[in-house]
Amino acid sequence: MSNSPQYAPYSPQTIKVDTIPIESLASDYTIHSVRITWVDLVNTTGFRVVPLKYFQHLLASSRPGITISQSVFGFIINRVASGFGPVGEYLFVVDLSSMRLCSYAPGHVSIMGWFQDKVPAPGRVLGTGVPMCPRSTLNRITFSAAKSYNAAFLVGFESEFILLKSTNPIETVNPHGWNSARALPSGTKETEVIEEIARGLVNDGIELMMYHSEGAPGQYEIVTGPLPPLEAADALVHTRETITNVASKHGFHATFAPRLHADNCGSATHTHISVHPIDPKHPSELQNLSQLPAGTLDNAITPLESVFLAGVLRHLPASCAFTLPLRASYARMLDGIWSGGTWVAWGRDNRETPVRLCVPAASLDTELAANAPSKNHFEIKCADGTSSPYLVLASLIGSGLLGIQSQSPLAEQDCTTPPALMTEAEREAAGVTQRMPMSWEEARAALVADEALKGILGGLVDGFLSVGETLDGLLHSPTNEAERVQMLVEYY
């Protein structure tokens, strides 16, 4: 038998999280409220609570949903970003396949949805997602990959966060570090919180793979299992809501802020992506690609993985505008601290590259191993918890899809050492020639210059850039660093 579980897109095991069938609402008398939930362009989760009886009334419509001002994507804390105003409404149509229990709020269920035109709009089909809708954008990109290129994806997340006793002053729940038993002792409030989070995720139908303490004081990590991209993004939103709500219930504050102190580890949302042919009998149109990159022959990446990776790396500087959306995000992306480094590169099990190739443990069953499909996946390290999972996956999978479309050769070789420790000649020989964005401004400039990525993402890019500028002004309005960090942890 294989020594690790095998996941495949669209199999019964992985096609959906364990969501609630809509029919169960009528028979489950403990449910009384529905949270109609969305995530905006700056990763603020919003919802409106609808009593169950009224929600059932909404279901009689051909497009069940609620109306919301089109400025929903432009409201940033207490300001409205440029390009958004008081005129116009969307219909937020619920996705009936996305409903799940909220263990952190007994009697409540949450449901995601699609922002659609309320009335017909020129050039758009009524009943489809509007260009500004991040969830619709991700769905469109993954559908295109499946329909046109026989490519499907699985995504899993590692959610790092810090539990705080206080945000003013900032005080963590304990001083303990990575995998430390002292960070989870029986009888402590923080252990009770982490265990309640774990039970809640399992009860709500999300595959919890593990949890443990991380490297910074009061820092923990929740690891959830692979799902198709849209379902994975929905599950991450629910995971974050579970973490923050359970922490709040016990008098703590959970923050996903990228890095609170320069002398401690930062918090990331490491994003694990695998790419697979939907029909293994017709793996792709890529069989005639040239040889695979050097250094992978004993555990080769497939031609489909190769062109996907090439696209991700080519557009990674622009994707950082979405994966690392705040100025504070770049305090974590440094060389030498195992956060992915500052060079556009990849490497097998190399934590000093922004893309790590994760290969499976070797199987003792040599016959099974020889005939098994690829179990490789890529860990994208340059993402943190201030980012929207829909925008992160739309940009990364969109980048990979551009590589698949163009059959881009993979210029970068497998980095077996940290790129920062290589000489310039060694980096050039390995095809590692481009730096990652070193700042918020550089990432946004890279996005503005990347016409191909903007083209595949569509109409939300301008709105994203506008709201990001407004948010940046608000987060940096306090007059000193301590107040700015306090504001950051209170909102993220």
Side-chain angles (χ1 to χ4, degrees):
M1 293 180 65
S2 171
N3 58 355
S4 61
Q6 176 69 49
Y7 295 99
Y10 309 117
S11 73
Q13 180 185 18
T14 61
I15 191 169
K16 293 284 185 184
V17 291
D18 188 12
T19 52
I20 305 170
I22 196 70
E23 297 81 10
S24 69
L25 289 178
S27 57
D28 190 338
Y29 297 109
T30 64
I31 297 172
H32 55 73
S33 299
V34 179
R35 298 184 176 204
I36 299 178
T37 305
W38 65 89
V39 178
D40 68 12
L41 297 173
V42 296
N43 195 39
T44 299
T45 300
F47 62 78
R48 292 184 179 179
V49 180
V50 176
L52 178 57
K53 185 175 182 179
Y54 185 72
F55 181 75
Q56 291 170 326
H57 175 71
L58 291 178
L59 294 180
S61 169
S62 63
R63 291 199 294 156
I66 57 174
T67 57
I68 301 179
S69 168
Q70 290 185 8
S71 62
V72 62
F73 293 116
F75 272 116
I76 309 301
I77 304 178
N78 57 2
R79 296 186 188 174
V80 179
S82 174
F84 298 88
V87 179
E89 280 193 326
Y90 293 129
L91 181 66
F92 188 58
V93 178
V94 295
D95 178 355
L96 298 179
S97 69
S98 68
M99 190 167 60
R100 72 193 76 221
L101 287 170
C102 298
S103 292
Y104 56 83
H108 288 240
V109 294
S110 67
I111 191 166
M112 311 303 291
W114 319 98
F115 285 95
Q116 298 180 2
D117 292 308
K118 189 171 80 168
V119 297
R124 295 206 289 260
V125 177
L126 189 66
T128 60
V130 297
M132 199 68 74
C133 178
R135 195 168 182 268
S136 299
T137 299
L138 173 59
N139 191 55
R140 171 178 55 79
I141 289 171
T142 55
F143 178 80
S144 176
K147 182 178 180 181
S148 299
Y149 297 95
N150 192 40
F153 309 90
L154 286 174
V155 178
F157 292 104
E158 303 171 28
S159 295
E160 296 174 345
F161 60 97
I162 292 177
L163 286 178
L164 300 176
K165 293 180 180 178
S166 167
T167 61
N168 186 22
I170 291 177
E171 181 182 2
T172 62
V173 294
N174 61 52
H176 305 299
W178 188 58
N179 291 323
S180 171
R182 293 184 178 273
L184 287 167
S186 297
T188 62
K189 186 64 70 174
E190 55 264 39
T191 298
E192 184 180 352
V193 167
I194 298 300
E195 290 183 348
E196 186 173 332
I197 290 168
R199 288 194 305 271
L201 293 175
V202 172
N203 291 340
D204 295 349
I206 293 174
E207 183 183 24
L208 175 66
M209 300 180 79
M210 69 180 74
Y211 63 84
H212 59 87
S213 65
E214 261 294 346
Q219 188 180 43
Y220 297 89
E221 177 175 282
I222 300 289
V223 183
T224 51
L227 291 165
L230 187 68
E231 288 87 343
D234 290 347
L236 181 59
V237 173
H238 192 81
T239 299
R240 289 172 175 172
E241 283 293 285
T242 302
I243 291 168
T244 56
N245 278 277
V246 173
S248 177
K249 171 185 171 181
H250 291 275
F252 292 154
H253 180 80
T255 178
F256 300 91
R259 199 174 188 188
L260 294 187
H261 304 289
D263 59 348
N264 280 313
C265 298
S267 294
T269 300
H270 295 155
T271 302
H272 294 256
I273 305 176
S274 59
V275 55
H276 311 259
I278 297 173
D279 182 354
K281 294 181 180 178
H282 303 283
S284 67
E285 300 173 2
L286 309 172
Q287 292 91 337
N288 296 322
L289 284 178
S290 59
Q291 68 179 32
L292 296 174
T296 64
L297 296 180
D298 59 337
N299 211 329
I301 62 174
T302 67
L304 182 59
E305 290 168 343
S306 177
V307 291
F308 173 79
L309 177 58
V312 169
L313 293 175
R314 177 171 298 181
H315 301 282
L316 194 56
S319 291
C320 284
F322 300 104
T323 65
L324 303 169
L326 306 183
R327 287 182 191 272
S329 300
Y330 296 86
R332 192 182 65 83
M333 297 307 299
L334 304 173
D335 291 313
I337 62 172
W338 295 24
S339 64
T342 65
W343 291 90
V344 176
W346 70 281
R348 187 185 318 182
D349 290 330
N350 188 341
R351 288 173 168 81
E352 276 289 293
T353 56
V355 180
R356 177 170 74 102
L357 173 64
C358 303
V359 297
S363 174
L364 295 176
D365 187 333
T366 55
E367 181 178 352
L368 178 64
N371 297 316
S374 173
K375 293 184 183 179
N376 296 331
H377 70 267
F378 302 104
E379 178 191 34
I380 313 298
K381 299 183 72 65
C382 52
D384 66 39
T386 68
S387 60
S388 159
Y390 304 101
L391 296 178
V392 166
L393 294 182
S395 63
L396 293 174
I397 293 175
S399 297
L401 180 56
L402 289 170
I404 294 171
Q405 289 173 343
S406 64
Q407 300 192 17
S408 301
L410 182 56
E412 297 85 356
Q413 295 182 9
D414 179 5
C415 284
T416 57
T417 59
L421 300 182
M422 299 166 69
T423 65
E424 185 175 350
E426 288 171 334
R427 284 194 294 268
E428 187 168 342
V432 178
T433 59
Q434 188 175 11
R435 295 299 292 269
M436 293 284 285
M438 303 298 289
S439 67
W440 178 77
E441 292 91 345
E442 287 185 12
R444 287 165 63 87
L447 175 60
V448 170
D450 194 328
E451 296 297 336
L453 184 59
K454 288 193 297 183
I456 204 167
L457 293 173
L460 60 73
V461 173
D462 289 342
F464 170 81
L465 292 170
S466 176
V467 297
E469 185 174 352
T470 301
L471 177 63
D472 181 68
L474 285 167
L475 291 178
H476 290 82
S477 59
T479 57
N480 61 67
E481 181 63 18
E483 291 177 349
R484 288 193 287 271
V485 172
Q486 180 188 342
M487 188 174 186
L488 175 64
V489 300
E490 287 177 348
Y491 282 99
Y492 288 98

